[in-house]
Amino acid sequence: MSELEAEYRVRCLHYVREVTQPVTYAEFRDLDPDNMTDLERVLWGQIDGMHRLYCQDYWSEPLSAQNAHKRNNSYWNECYRGLWHNRENYLQYEEYRWDQYSRIANWLDIPGDDLLHMSPRPLDLVMIAWEREQRGYEPEPADEWYRILEAWPSADDDYMVNFRVGRNSDADECVYYYPQLFTGRWIPLDTAITRQEIQESRRFATPTPMPSEMRRWISQKDRPVFRGN
């Protein structure tokens, strides 16, 4: 554990001591953030204000071989639907030669074990694009990374306090679905109970038919990204 990580845990303990009852704080002190279950991370993360950077080891964990395959599956449908609808609007502009939404969908298809060993990872490439922009570089529509930051999902809430590169908050369900891809950390949001509640609510909802073209795109592998000549 690095010096910074150790400092974060001390700060988190101090925070929990200040905002909870003594019995809750005593239970929290007994936690081992390196050996918590997903359910424990979900439940302890419900403490008001807990989702801050220095408490991240109590509600998330770094990408590893043990969590690389995990997904918050209840967000799968909303994630890909959101990408599709954003892509439909994006493709109206014929001068854009790169389909960034298909690129992100392809990245979402990367198995966890592959992501674990990739170098550079998608997040690294997006960070490079962001750093170039900070230096004043403005890519042209023909540039491979044109508008990648606008397409890259960003969950603008307390669950993603360590992630502020992306700008497309309309597709934040993708961050919830596969947080390792977008943040480098596994952030459990689903439990057996929440999945059951979602399934029950869908039983009484009027389903929205998925257009066949959308269904084909979602199920497609290695979607074409380059659309120019």
Side-chain angles (χ1 to χ4, degrees), residues 91-104:
L91 294 184
Q92 295 178 16
Y93 300 92
E94 296 182 358
E95 69 270 21
Y96 297 168
R97 297 189 179 184
W98 298 90
D99 179 355
Q100 304 297 3
Y101 295 95
S102 286
R103 186 193 302 276
I104 291 170

Side-chain angles (χ1 to χ4, degrees), residues 151-165:
W152 184 255
S154 172
D156 189 17
D157 61 26
D158 288 341
Y159 283 100
M160 307 293 164
V161 292
N162 60 338
F163 182 70
R164 285 290 181 268
V165 173

